[in-house]
Coordinates of all heavy atoms in Angstrom, one line a residue:
M1 N -10.9 -13.2 1.7 CA -12.2 -12.5 1.5 C -11.9 -11.3 0.6 O -12.8 -10.8 -0.1 CB -12.9 -12.2 2.7 CG -13.3 -13.5 3.4 SD -14.5 -13.2 4.7 CE -14.5 -14.8 5.5
L2 N -10.7 -10.7 0.8 CA -10.3 -9.5 -0.1 C -10.5 -9.9 -1.6 O -11.1 -9.1 -2.4 CB -8.9 -9.2 0.2 CG -8.2 -8.2 -0.9 CD1 -8.8 -6.9 -0.9 CD2 -6.7 -8.2 -0.8
H3 N -10.0 -11.0 -2.0 CA -10.1 -11.3 -3.4 C -11.5 -11.7 -3.8 O -11.9 -11.3 -5.0 CB -9.1 -12.6 -3.7 CG -7.7 -12.2 -3.5 ND1 -7.0 -11.2 -4.2 CD2 -6.8 -12.7 -2.6 CE1 -5.8 -11.1 -3.8 NE2 -5.7 -11.9 -2.7
A4 N -12.3 -12.2 -2.9 CA -13.7 -12.4 -3.3 C -14.3 -11.1 -3.5 O -15.2 -11.0 -4.4 CB -14.4 -13.2 -2.1
A5 N -14.1 -10.1 -2.7 CA -14.6 -8.7 -2.9 C -14.2 -8.1 -4.2 O -14.9 -7.6 -5.0 CB -14.3 -7.9 -1.7
T6 N -12.8 -8.1 -4.4 CA -12.2 -7.3 -5.5 C -12.6 -8.1 -6.9 O -12.9 -7.4 -7.8 CB -10.7 -7.2 -5.4 OG1 -10.1 -8.4 -5.2 CG2 -10.4 -6.2 -4.2
D7 N -12.6 -9.4 -6.8 CA -13.0 -10.1 -8.1 C -14.4 -9.9 -8.5 O -14.8 -10.0 -9.6 CB -12.8 -11.7 -7.8 CG -11.3 -12.1 -7.8 OD1 -10.4 -11.1 -8.1 OD2 -11.0 -13.2 -7.4
N8 N -15.3 -9.5 -7.5 CA -16.7 -9.2 -7.7 C -17.0 -7.8 -7.7 O -18.1 -7.4 -7.6 CB -17.5 -10.0 -6.7 CG -17.5 -11.5 -7.0 OD1 -18.1 -12.0 -7.9 ND2 -16.8 -12.3 -6.3
L9 N -15.9 -6.9 -7.8 CA -16.1 -5.5 -7.9 C -16.9 -4.8 -6.8 O -17.7 -3.9 -7.0 CB -16.6 -5.1 -9.3 CG -15.9 -5.7 -10.5 CD1 -16.6 -5.3 -11.7 CD2 -14.4 -5.2 -10.5
V10 N -16.7 -5.3 -5.6 CA -17.3 -4.7 -4.4 C -16.7 -3.4 -4.1 O -15.5 -3.2 -3.9 CB -17.2 -5.6 -3.2 CG1 -17.7 -5.0 -1.9 CG2 -17.9 -7.0 -3.4
S11 N -17.6 -2.3 -4.2 CA -17.1 -1.0 -4.0 C -16.7 -0.8 -2.6 O -17.2 -1.1 -1.6 CB -18.3 0.0 -4.3 OG -17.8 1.3 -4.2
G12 N -15.5 -0.1 -2.5 CA -15.0 0.2 -1.1 C -13.9 -0.7 -0.6 O -13.2 -0.4 0.5
V13 N -13.7 -1.9 -1.2 CA -12.7 -2.8 -0.8 C -11.6 -2.8 -2.0 O -11.9 -3.2 -3.1 CB -13.2 -4.3 -0.7 CG1 -12.0 -5.2 -0.3 CG2 -14.3 -4.3 0.4
I14 N -10.5 -2.1 -1.7 CA -9.5 -1.9 -2.6 C -8.3 -2.9 -2.6 O -8.0 -3.5 -3.7 CB -9.0 -0.4 -2.5 CG1 -10.2 0.6 -2.5 CG2 -7.8 -0.1 -3.4 CD1 -9.9 1.9 -2.0
G15 N -7.7 -3.0 -1.5 CA -6.6 -4.0 -1.3 C -5.4 -3.6 -2.1 O -4.8 -4.3 -2.9
E16 N -4.9 -2.3 -1.9 CA -3.8 -1.8 -2.6 C -2.6 -2.7 -2.5 O -1.8 -2.8 -3.5 CB -3.5 -0.4 -2.1 CG -4.3 0.7 -2.7 CD -4.0 2.0 -2.2 OE1 -3.0 2.2 -1.4 OE2 -4.7 3.0 -2.5
C17 N -2.3 -3.3 -1.3 CA -1.1 -4.0 -1.1 C -1.2 -5.5 -1.5 O -0.3 -6.3 -1.4 CB -0.5 -3.9 0.3 SG -1.5 -4.8 1.5
G18 N -2.4 -5.9 -2.0 CA -2.6 -7.3 -2.4 C -2.6 -8.3 -1.3 O -2.5 -9.5 -1.5
G19 N -2.9 -7.8 -0.1 CA -3.0 -8.8 1.1 C -1.7 -8.9 1.8 O -1.5 -9.7 2.7
D20 N -0.8 -7.9 1.7 CA 0.5 -7.8 2.4 C 0.5 -7.2 3.7 O 1.5 -7.0 4.4 CB 1.5 -7.1 1.5 CG 2.7 -7.9 1.1 OD1 2.7 -9.1 1.4 OD2 3.6 -7.3 0.5
V21 N -0.7 -6.9 4.2 CA -1.0 -6.2 5.5 C -0.1 -4.9 5.7 O 0.5 -4.7 6.6 CB -0.6 -7.2 6.7 CG1 -1.3 -6.7 8.0 CG2 -1.1 -8.6 6.4
S22 N -0.2 -4.1 4.6 CA 0.5 -2.9 4.6 C -0.2 -1.7 4.1 O 0.3 -0.7 3.8 CB 1.8 -3.0 3.9 OG 1.7 -3.3 2.5
C23 N -1.6 -1.8 3.9 CA -2.3 -0.7 3.3 C -3.6 -0.3 4.1 O -4.0 0.7 4.1 CB -2.6 -0.9 1.9 SG -3.9 -2.1 1.5
A24 N -4.3 -1.3 4.6 CA -5.6 -1.2 5.4 C -6.7 -0.7 4.4 O -7.7 -0.3 4.9 CB -5.4 -0.2 6.5
T25 N -6.6 -0.8 3.1 CA -7.7 -0.5 2.3 C -8.7 -1.6 2.0 O -9.5 -1.6 1.2 CB -7.1 0.0 0.9 OG1 -6.4 -1.0 0.3 CG2 -6.3 1.2 1.0
C26 N -8.5 -2.7 2.8 CA -9.4 -3.8 2.8 C -10.2 -3.9 4.1 O -10.8 -4.9 4.4 CB -8.6 -5.1 2.6 SG -7.5 -5.5 3.9
H27 N -10.2 -2.8 4.9 CA -10.9 -2.7 6.2 C -12.3 -3.1 6.1 O -13.1 -2.6 5.2 CB -10.7 -1.4 6.7 CG -11.3 -1.1 8.1 ND1 -11.7 0.1 8.5 CD2 -11.6 -1.9 9.1 CE1 -12.2 0.1 9.7 NE2 -12.3 -1.1 10.1
V28 N -12.9 -4.0 6.8 CA -14.3 -4.3 6.9 C -14.8 -4.3 8.4 O -13.9 -4.5 9.3 CB -14.6 -5.6 6.2 CG1 -14.4 -5.5 4.7 CG2 -13.9 -6.8 6.8
F29 N -16.1 -4.2 8.5 CA -16.6 -4.4 9.8 C -17.4 -5.7 9.8 O -18.4 -5.9 9.0 CB -17.6 -3.3 10.2 CG -17.0 -1.9 10.3 CD1 -17.4 -0.9 9.5 CD2 -16.0 -1.6 11.2 CE1 -16.9 0.4 9.5 CE2 -15.4 -0.3 11.3 CZ -15.9 0.7 10.4
V30 N -17.0 -6.6 10.6 CA -17.6 -8.0 10.6 C -18.9 -7.9 11.4 O -19.0 -7.3 12.5 CB -16.6 -9.0 11.3 CG1 -17.3 -10.4 11.3 CG2 -15.3 -9.1 10.5
D31 N -20.0 -8.5 10.9 CA -21.2 -8.5 11.6 C -21.0 -9.1 13.0 O -20.3 -10.1 13.1 CB -22.2 -9.4 10.9 CG -23.5 -9.4 11.5 OD1 -23.7 -10.1 12.5 OD2 -24.4 -8.6 11.1
P32 N -21.5 -8.5 14.1 CA -21.2 -9.0 15.5 C -21.5 -10.5 15.7 O -20.8 -11.1 16.3 CB -22.1 -8.1 16.3 CG -22.2 -6.8 15.6 CD -22.2 -7.2 14.1
D33 N -22.5 -11.0 14.9 CA -22.9 -12.4 15.1 C -21.9 -13.3 14.6 O -21.8 -14.5 14.8 CB -24.2 -12.7 14.3 CG -25.4 -12.1 15.1 OD1 -25.3 -11.7 16.3 OD2 -26.5 -11.9 14.5
W34 N -21.0 -12.8 13.7 CA -19.9 -13.6 13.0 C -18.6 -13.4 13.7 O -17.6 -14.2 13.5 CB -19.9 -13.3 11.5 CG -20.9 -13.9 10.8 CD1 -22.1 -13.3 10.5 CD2 -20.9 -15.2 10.2 NE1 -22.9 -14.2 9.8 CE2 -22.2 -15.3 9.5 CE3 -20.0 -16.2 10.2 CZ2 -22.5 -16.5 8.9 CZ3 -20.3 -17.3 9.5 CH2 -21.5 -17.5 8.9
F35 N -18.4 -12.3 14.3 CA -17.0 -11.9 14.8 C -16.3 -12.9 15.5 O -15.1 -13.3 15.2 CB -17.1 -10.6 15.5 CG -15.6 -9.9 15.7 CD1 -15.1 -9.2 14.6 CD2 -14.9 -10.1 16.9 CE1 -13.8 -8.6 14.8 CE2 -13.6 -9.6 17.0 CZ -13.1 -8.8 16.0
D36 N -16.8 -13.5 16.5 CA -16.2 -14.5 17.4 C -16.0 -15.9 16.8 O -15.3 -16.7 17.3 CB -17.0 -14.6 18.7 CG -16.9 -13.4 19.6 OD1 -15.9 -12.6 19.5 OD2 -17.7 -13.2 20.5
R37 N -16.5 -15.9 15.6 CA -16.3 -17.3 14.8 C -15.0 -17.2 14.0 O -14.6 -18.3 13.5 CB -17.5 -17.6 13.9 CG -18.8 -17.8 14.6 CD -19.8 -18.3 13.7 NE -21.1 -17.6 13.9 CZ -22.2 -17.8 13.1 NH1 -22.2 -18.7 12.2 NH2 -23.2 -17.1 13.3
L38 N -14.3 -16.0 13.9 CA -13.2 -15.9 13.1 C -12.0 -16.2 14.0 O -12.0 -15.9 15.2 CB -13.1 -14.5 12.5 CG -14.3 -14.1 11.6 CD1 -14.1 -12.6 11.3 CD2 -14.2 -14.9 10.3
P39 N -10.9 -16.6 13.4 CA -9.6 -16.8 14.2 C -9.1 -15.3 14.5 O -9.4 -14.3 13.8 CB -8.6 -17.3 13.1 CG -9.3 -17.5 11.9 CD -10.8 -17.1 12.0
P40 N -8.5 -15.2 15.7 CA -8.1 -13.8 16.1 C -7.1 -13.2 15.2 O -6.4 -13.9 14.5 CB -7.5 -14.1 17.5 CG -7.2 -15.6 17.6 CD -8.1 -16.2 16.6
A41 N -7.1 -11.9 15.2 CA -6.2 -11.1 14.3 C -4.7 -11.4 14.9 O -4.5 -11.3 16.1 CB -6.5 -9.7 14.3
E42 N -3.7 -11.4 14.0 CA -2.3 -11.4 14.3 C -1.9 -10.0 14.6 O -2.5 -9.1 14.3 CB -1.5 -12.1 13.2 CG -1.9 -13.4 12.7 CD -1.4 -14.5 13.6 OE1 -0.4 -14.3 14.3 OE2 -1.9 -15.6 13.6
A43 N -0.7 -9.9 15.2 CA -0.2 -8.6 15.6 C -0.1 -7.7 14.5 O -0.4 -6.5 14.6 CB 1.2 -8.9 16.3
D44 N 0.4 -8.1 13.2 CA 0.5 -7.2 12.2 C -0.8 -6.6 11.7 O -0.9 -5.5 11.3 CB 1.3 -7.8 11.0 CG 0.7 -9.1 10.5 OD1 -0.2 -9.7 11.2 OD2 1.2 -9.6 9.5
E45 N -1.9 -7.5 11.8 CA -3.1 -7.0 11.3 C -3.6 -6.0 12.4 O -4.2 -5.0 12.0 CB -4.2 -8.2 11.3 CG -5.6 -7.7 10.9 CD -6.6 -8.8 10.8 OE1 -6.2 -9.9 11.0 OE2 -7.8 -8.4 10.6
L46 N -3.5 -6.2 13.6 CA -3.9 -5.3 14.7 C -3.2 -4.0 14.6 O -3.8 -2.9 14.7 CB -3.7 -5.9 16.1 CG -4.5 -7.1 16.5 CD1 -4.1 -7.7 17.8 CD2 -6.0 -6.7 16.5
E47 N -1.9 -4.0 14.2 CA -1.2 -2.8 14.0 C -1.7 -2.0 12.8 O -1.9 -0.7 12.9 CB 0.3 -3.1 13.8 CG 1.3 -1.9 13.8 CD 2.6 -2.3 13.7 OE1 3.1 -3.3 14.3 OE2 3.4 -1.7 12.9
M48 N -2.0 -2.7 11.7 CA -2.5 -2.0 10.6 C -3.9 -1.5 10.8 O -4.3 -0.4 10.2 CB -2.4 -3.0 9.3 CG -2.7 -2.3 8.0 SD -1.7 -0.9 7.7 CE 0.0 -1.4 7.7
L49 N -4.7 -2.1 11.6 CA -6.0 -1.6 11.8 C -6.0 -0.3 12.6 O -7.0 0.4 12.6 CB -6.8 -2.6 12.8 CG -7.4 -3.8 12.0 CD1 -7.9 -4.8 12.9 CD2 -8.5 -3.4 11.0
E50 N -4.8 0.2 13.0 CA -4.8 1.5 13.6 C -4.5 2.6 12.5 O -4.5 3.8 12.8 CB -3.6 1.5 14.6 CG -3.8 0.7 15.8 CD -2.6 0.6 16.8 OE1 -1.6 1.4 16.6 OE2 -2.5 -0.3 17.6
A51 N -4.3 2.1 11.3 CA -4.1 3.1 10.1 C -5.3 3.1 9.2 O -5.0 3.6 8.1 CB -2.8 2.6 9.5
T52 N -6.4 2.7 9.6 CA -7.5 2.7 8.6 C -8.1 4.1 8.5 O -7.9 4.9 9.3 CB -8.7 1.8 9.1 OG1 -9.1 2.2 10.5 CG2 -8.3 0.3 9.2
V53 N -8.7 4.3 7.3 CA -9.2 5.7 7.0 C -10.4 5.9 8.0 O -10.4 7.0 8.5 CB -9.7 5.7 5.5 CG1 -10.6 7.0 5.3 CG2 -8.5 5.7 4.6
E54 N -11.3 4.9 8.1 CA -12.4 5.1 9.0 C -12.0 4.5 10.4 O -11.4 3.4 10.4 CB -13.7 4.4 8.4 CG -14.9 4.7 9.3 CD -16.1 4.6 8.5 OE1 -16.2 5.1 7.4 OE2 -17.1 4.2 9.0
E55 N -12.4 5.1 11.4 CA -12.1 4.7 12.7 C -12.5 3.2 12.9 O -13.6 2.8 12.6 CB -12.9 5.5 13.7 CG -12.5 5.3 15.2 CD -11.1 6.0 15.5 OE1 -10.6 6.9 14.8 OE2 -10.4 5.5 16.5
P56 N -11.5 2.4 13.4 CA -11.9 1.0 13.6 C -12.8 0.8 14.7 O -12.9 1.6 15.7 CB -10.6 0.3 13.8 CG -9.6 1.4 14.3 CD -10.1 2.7 13.6
T57 N -13.5 -0.3 14.8 CA -14.4 -0.7 15.9 C -13.9 -2.0 16.4 O -13.0 -2.6 15.9 CB -15.9 -0.8 15.5 OG1 -16.0 -1.9 14.8 CG2 -16.3 0.5 14.7
E58 N -14.6 -2.5 17.5 CA -14.3 -3.8 18.0 C -14.5 -4.9 17.0 O -14.1 -6.1 17.2 CB -15.0 -4.0 19.3 CG -16.6 -4.1 19.1 CD -17.2 -4.2 20.4 OE1 -17.0 -5.1 21.2 OE2 -18.1 -3.3 20.7
F59 N -15.3 -4.6 15.9 CA -15.6 -5.6 15.0 C -14.8 -5.4 13.6 O -15.1 -6.0 12.6 CB -17.1 -5.6 14.7 CG -17.9 -5.8 15.9 CD1 -18.6 -4.8 16.5 CD2 -17.8 -7.1 16.5 CE1 -19.4 -5.1 17.6 CE2 -18.7 -7.3 17.6 CZ -19.4 -6.3 18.2
S60 N -13.7 -4.6 13.6 CA -13.0 -4.4 12.4 C -12.0 -5.5 12.2 O -11.4 -6.1 13.2 CB -12.1 -3.1 12.8 OG -12.9 -1.9 12.6
R61 N -11.8 -5.8 10.9 CA -10.8 -6.7 10.5 C -10.3 -6.3 9.1 O -10.9 -5.5 8.5 CB -11.4 -8.2 10.3 CG -11.7 -8.9 11.6 CD -10.6 -9.1 12.6 NE -9.5 -10.0 12.1 CZ -9.4 -11.3 12.3 NH1 -10.4 -11.9 13.0 NH2 -8.5 -11.9 11.7
L62 N -9.2 -6.8 8.8 CA -8.7 -6.6 7.4 C -9.2 -7.8 6.6 O -8.8 -9.0 6.9 CB -7.2 -6.5 7.4 CG -6.6 -5.3 8.1 CD1 -5.1 -5.4 8.0 CD2 -7.2 -4.0 7.6
S63 N -9.9 -7.6 5.5 CA -10.5 -8.7 4.7 C -9.4 -9.6 4.1 O -9.7 -10.8 3.8 CB -11.5 -8.2 3.7 OG -10.9 -7.4 2.8
C64 N -8.2 -9.0 3.9 CA -7.2 -9.8 3.3 C -6.7 -10.9 4.3 O -6.0 -11.8 3.8 CB -6.0 -9.0 2.8 SG -5.0 -8.2 4.1
Q65 N -7.1 -10.8 5.5 CA -6.6 -11.8 6.5 C -7.6 -12.7 6.9 O -7.5 -13.6 7.8 CB -6.1 -11.0 7.7 CG -4.9 -10.1 7.5 CD -3.8 -10.8 6.8 OE1 -3.1 -11.7 7.4 NE2 -3.4 -10.4 5.6
L66 N -8.8 -12.7 6.2 CA -9.8 -13.6 6.4 C -10.0 -14.5 5.3 O -10.1 -14.1 4.1 CB -11.1 -12.7 6.6 CG -11.2 -11.7 7.7 CD1 -12.4 -10.8 7.6 CD2 -10.9 -12.3 9.1
S67 N -10.1 -15.8 5.6 CA -10.3 -16.9 4.6 C -11.7 -17.3 4.3 O -12.5 -17.3 5.3 CB -9.4 -18.1 5.0 OG -8.2 -17.8 5.1
C68 N -12.0 -17.6 3.1 CA -13.3 -18.1 2.7 C -13.3 -19.7 3.1 O -12.5 -20.4 2.4 CB -13.6 -17.9 1.3 SG -13.9 -16.1 0.9
T69 N -14.0 -20.1 3.9 CA -14.0 -21.5 4.4 C -15.5 -22.0 4.5 O -16.4 -21.1 4.6 CB -13.3 -21.8 5.6 OG1 -14.0 -21.2 6.7 CG2 -11.8 -21.2 5.6
S70 N -15.7 -23.2 4.8 CA -17.1 -23.6 5.1 C -17.5 -23.0 6.4 O -18.7 -22.8 6.6 CB -17.2 -25.2 5.2 OG -16.2 -25.6 6.2
E71 N -16.6 -22.7 7.3 CA -17.0 -22.0 8.6 C -17.4 -20.6 8.4 O -18.2 -20.1 9.2 CB -15.8 -22.0 9.6 CG -15.6 -23.4 10.2 CD -14.8 -24.4 9.3 OE1 -14.0 -23.8 8.4 OE2 -15.0 -25.6 9.4
T72 N -17.0 -19.9 7.3 CA -17.3 -18.5 7.1 C -18.4 -18.4 6.0 O -18.7 -17.2 5.6 CB -16.0 -17.7 6.8 OG1 -15.5 -18.3 5.6 CG2 -15.1 -17.6 7.9
D73 N -18.9 -19.5 5.5 CA -19.9 -19.4 4.5 C -21.1 -18.6 5.0 O -21.7 -19.0 6.0 CB -20.3 -20.9 4.0 CG -21.3 -20.8 2.9 OD1 -21.3 -19.9 2.2 OD2 -22.0 -21.8 2.7
G74 N -21.5 -17.6 4.4 CA -22.6 -16.8 4.8 C -22.2 -15.5 5.6 O -23.2 -14.8 6.1
I75 N -20.9 -15.4 5.9 CA -20.5 -14.2 6.7 C -21.0 -12.9 6.2 O -21.1 -12.7 5.0 CB -19.0 -14.2 6.9 CG1 -18.5 -13.3 8.1 CG2 -18.3 -13.9 5.6 CD1 -17.1 -13.5 8.5
V76 N -21.3 -12.0 7.1 CA -21.7 -10.7 6.8 C -20.6 -9.7 7.1 O -20.2 -9.6 8.2 CB -23.0 -10.3 7.4 CG1 -23.4 -8.8 7.1 CG2 -24.1 -11.3 7.1
L77 N -20.1 -9.0 6.0 CA -19.0 -8.0 6.2 C -19.7 -6.7 5.8 O -20.2 -6.5 4.7 CB -17.8 -8.3 5.4 CG -17.2 -9.6 5.6 CD1 -16.0 -9.8 4.7 CD2 -16.7 -9.7 7.1
N78 N -19.4 -5.6 6.5 CA -19.9 -4.2 6.1 C -18.7 -3.4 5.7 O -17.6 -3.5 6.4 CB -20.6 -3.6 7.3 CG -22.0 -4.4 7.5 OD1 -22.8 -4.5 6.7 ND2 -22.0 -5.0 8.7
I79 N -18.8 -2.6 4.7 CA -17.7 -1.7 4.2 C -17.8 -0.4 4.9 O -18.8 0.2 4.9 CB -17.8 -1.6 2.7 CG1 -18.1 -2.8 1.9 CG2 -16.6 -0.8 2.1 CD1 -17.1 -3.9 2.0
P80 N -16.7 0.1 5.4 CA -16.7 1.5 6.0 C -17.2 2.4 4.9 O -16.6 2.4 3.8 CB -15.2 1.7 6.4 CG -14.7 0.3 6.6 CD -15.4 -0.5 5.6
E81 N -18.0 3.4 5.3 CA -18.6 4.4 4.3 C -17.5 5.3 3.7 O -17.6 5.7 2.6 CB -19.5 5.3 5.1 CG -21.0 4.7 5.3 CD -21.9 5.6 5.8 OE1 -21.8 6.9 5.6 OE2 -22.8 5.2 6.6
S82 N -16.5 5.6 4.4 CA -15.4 6.5 3.9 C -14.3 5.9 3.2 O -13.3 6.5 2.8 CB -14.9 7.3 5.1 OG -14.3 6.5 6.1
Q83 N -14.3 4.6 3.0 CA -13.3 3.9 2.4 C -13.3 3.9 0.8 O -14.3 3.7 0.3 CB -13.2 2.4 2.9 CG -12.0 1.6 2.4 CD -11.8 0.4 3.3 OE1 -11.4 0.5 4.4 NE2 -12.3 -0.7 2.8
Ligands
FES1 FE1 -3.5 -4.3 2.2 FE2 -5.3 -5.9 3.4 S1 -5.0 -5.6 1.3 S2 -3.8 -4.6 4.2

């Protein structure tokens, strides 16, 4: 989903590391109605979520770790204001 955002010039999604799970500039808040439909975050993503500019919430994910699939078609992601 990082590349969907950057390819479409979505403001606030930067992706400095290109999806290497080492920058947290792709932080998003997943709409609560969608959050449980996603595969759980791996340990490296959870660790990097502790380094986000804006305080993470229970709905935080790194967009570089989310895939665009038929299951996520229509997902709602919100960009942190301070990112
Ligand atoms: Fe760097 Fe997601 S793009 S952690």
Side-chain angles (χ1 to χ4, degrees):
M1 294 192 190
L2 164 68
H3 297 296
T6 56
D7 289 352
N8 288 286
L9 305 176
V10 173
S11 179
V13 178
I14 301 162
E16 279 179 3
C17 75
D20 239 7
V21 197
S22 60
C23 74
T25 61
C26 63
H27 179 206
V28 293
F29 300 120
V30 179
D31 184 279
D33 290 340
W34 283 92
F35 192 81
D36 289 337
R37 298 191 226 177
L38 299 173
E42 301 279 338
D44 56 349
E45 181 181 356
L46 292 173
E47 186 175 320
M48 190 51 58
L49 281 169
E50 295 176 11
T52 56
V53 170
E54 188 153 321
E55 190 72 24
T57 72
E58 62 186 303
F59 301 110
S60 287
R61 292 296 302 263
L62 298 179
S63 61
C64 69
Q65 300 304 296
L66 304 176
S67 298
C68 294
T69 66
S70 56
E71 286 80 27
T72 58
D73 185 22
I75 192 169
V76 176
L77 303 175
N78 296 296
I79 314 291
E81 283 185 31
S82 60
Q83 186 163 285

